[in-house]
């Protein structure tokens, strides 16, 4: 028993060490990539793209369910984006509130008879509405199906552009976001099939007229710690994976895809829990099977600001759902593992996700249990504890601080030194005690998936409703 505890503790130590070394390598790659991206962007005049007839048209797809309090602000924001050829399709996914009525009043919608070809599967369509206020706006009213993926599929069937951009209804895009995210496509239109943009935390900031007025950190600790998470996930993780053409997820809040390829793989899988991760993985599989030379890019500069949960219960539900979505993609695609046909995706990206994402909460729980047992049996050495703290907690904290410093050295969205100081201080709390809460939520998600509980549970979040006195958002419930 004592020998078993000693071995498992050493395994846990090397697991943490290997995980953090991988993140350190990704941080180094991301720093180099960010610098190269900024130099490249300086050489491209965005006003040229804005005025160029060669810029390919984009259809922005906005799935909306019970968004009556924020849909007008969201749509106005999208119609005001800087891009030469733009179409906005809002999919009213069986809303039981006044979402459709608000859009009818705000944008003067009229029912139209148009050809609607269901190339990918979705719930039945009730009607199509065109805006008399802005003909670029089309509203698809459909029966509810209980998933965002089904709503996006309905929008895909109505889209007329060679590229589609999926945006959440409770998110805000910066005015030049589409111009910036299309830079890789314009540089290499034959190879670049999809591009993801960075998603940042909106909570605590001020918006006015559908635009970001002032970027500030949230007041709540639970929201600030998510800012650190998002910076590390996007500025380190996704940027590094994209550098090796191994990006397996483009956020459902902001991503551009070639329309023909999304249709070729059957659109979004309507029952997928993590529809964004699922679509990108299926695109990799399809293109590798076809032997196509392709690239899926990530651009860290075009910003999408989105709401994050502001209470523990909602955050726990979100993270449990994310972990269910991870397993829901990894398991059906397990045949891609270590097969030469799937190259770096099958030999590096997917094995990493299995070992350091999916199995992480199980290994961490087992590690905590063996450390406690080793302490009870008196075989927990002081040297091991010091090494564990140094290479587990301290190493991971330094990497989180690195993501914050990378943000300040490159994009500088948080200009207030007090906000930067708060971000750095929360890096010390992310791995204890927040990481342990995160472990529990992910274990809940795993258990829910194994017993067939795939229900999308409601979360209390912030909306895009504005207080006209100060331009601030006010709280609402989003189900």
């Amino acid at each position: 028993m004592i020998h078993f505890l000693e071995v498992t503790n050493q395994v846990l130590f090397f697991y943490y060490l290997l995980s953090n070394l991988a993140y350190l390598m990704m941080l180094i790659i991301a720093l180099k990539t960010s610098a190269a991206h900024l130099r490249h962007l300086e050489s491209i005049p965005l006003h040229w793209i804005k005025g160029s007839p060669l810029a390919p048209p984009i259809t922005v797809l906005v799935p909306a369910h019970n968004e009556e309090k924020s849909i007008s602000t969201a749509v106005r924001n999208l119609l005001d984006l800087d891009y030469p050829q733009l179409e906005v399709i809002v999919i009213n996914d069986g809303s039981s509130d006044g979402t459709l009525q608000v859009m009818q009043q705000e944008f003067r919608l009229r029912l139209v008879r148009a050809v609607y070809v269901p190339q990918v599967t979705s719930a039945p369509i009730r009607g199509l509405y065109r805006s008399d206020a802005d003909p670029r706006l089309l509203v698809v009213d459909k029966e509810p199906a209980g998933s965002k993926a089904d709503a996006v599929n309905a929008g895909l069937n109505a889209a007329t552009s060679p590229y589609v951009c999926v945006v959440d209804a409770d998110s805000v895009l910066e005015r030049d976001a589409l111009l910036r995210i299309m830079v890789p496509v314009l540089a290499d239109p034959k190879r670049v099939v999809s591009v993801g943009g960075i998603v940042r935390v909106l909570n605590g900031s001020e918006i006015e007229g559908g635009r970001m007025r002032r970027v500030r950190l949230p007041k709540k600790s639970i929201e600030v710690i998510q800012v650190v998470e998002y910076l590390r996930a996007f500025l380190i993780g996704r940027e590094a994976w994209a550098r090796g053409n191994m990006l397996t997820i483009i956020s459902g809040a902001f991503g551009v895809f070639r329309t023909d390829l999304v249709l070729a793989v059957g659109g979004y899988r309507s029952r997928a829990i993590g529809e964004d991760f699922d679509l990108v993985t299926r695109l990799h599989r399809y293109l590798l099977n076809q032997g196509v030379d392709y690239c899926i890019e990530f651009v860290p500069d075009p910003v999408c600001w989105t709401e994050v949960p502001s209470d523990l219960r909602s955050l726990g539900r979100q993270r449990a759902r994310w972990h269910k979505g991870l397993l829901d993609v990894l398991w059906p695609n397990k045949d891609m593992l270590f097969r030469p046909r799937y190259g770096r995706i099958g030999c590096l990206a997917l094995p990493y996700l299995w070992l350091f994402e999916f199995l992480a909460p199980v290994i961490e729980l087992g590690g905590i249990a063996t450390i406690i047992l080793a302490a009870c049996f008196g075989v927990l050495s002081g040297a091991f504890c010091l090494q564990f703290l140094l290479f587990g907690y301290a190493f991971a904290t330094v990497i989180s601080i690195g993501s914050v410093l990378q943000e300040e050295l490159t994009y500088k969205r948080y200009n207030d030194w007090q906000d930067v100081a708060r971000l750095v201080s929360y890096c010390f709390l992310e791995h204890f005690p927040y990481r342990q809460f995160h472990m529990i939520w992910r274990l809940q998600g795993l258990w829910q998936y194994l017993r067939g509980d795939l229900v999308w549970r409601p979360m209390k979040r912030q909306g895009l409703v504005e207080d006209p006195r100060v331009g601030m958002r006010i709280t609402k419930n989003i189900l």
Side-chain angles (χ1 to χ4, degrees), residues 131-191:
S131 169
D132 283 335
D134 193 325
R136 297 176 300 166
L137 174 62
L138 177 71
V139 175
V140 178
D141 186 28
K142 65 179 286 290
E143 298 287 344
S147 73
K148 174 184 173 181
D150 188 88
V152 176
N153 279 346
L156 278 169
N157 290 329
T160 60
S161 304
Y163 290 89
V164 291
C165 176
V166 182
V167 178
D168 284 345
D170 58 350
S171 299
V172 173
L173 294 185
E174 294 188 348
R175 189 160 188 162
D176 61 354
L178 288 182
L179 295 174
R180 292 177 180 273
I181 202 171
M182 289 298 287
V183 167
V185 174
L186 295 172
D188 194 354
K190 290 185 177 180
R191 293 186 67 246

Side-chain angles (χ1 to χ4, degrees), residues 11 84 319 350 360 467:
V11 169
R319 298 313 164 90
L350 291 180
D467 184 338

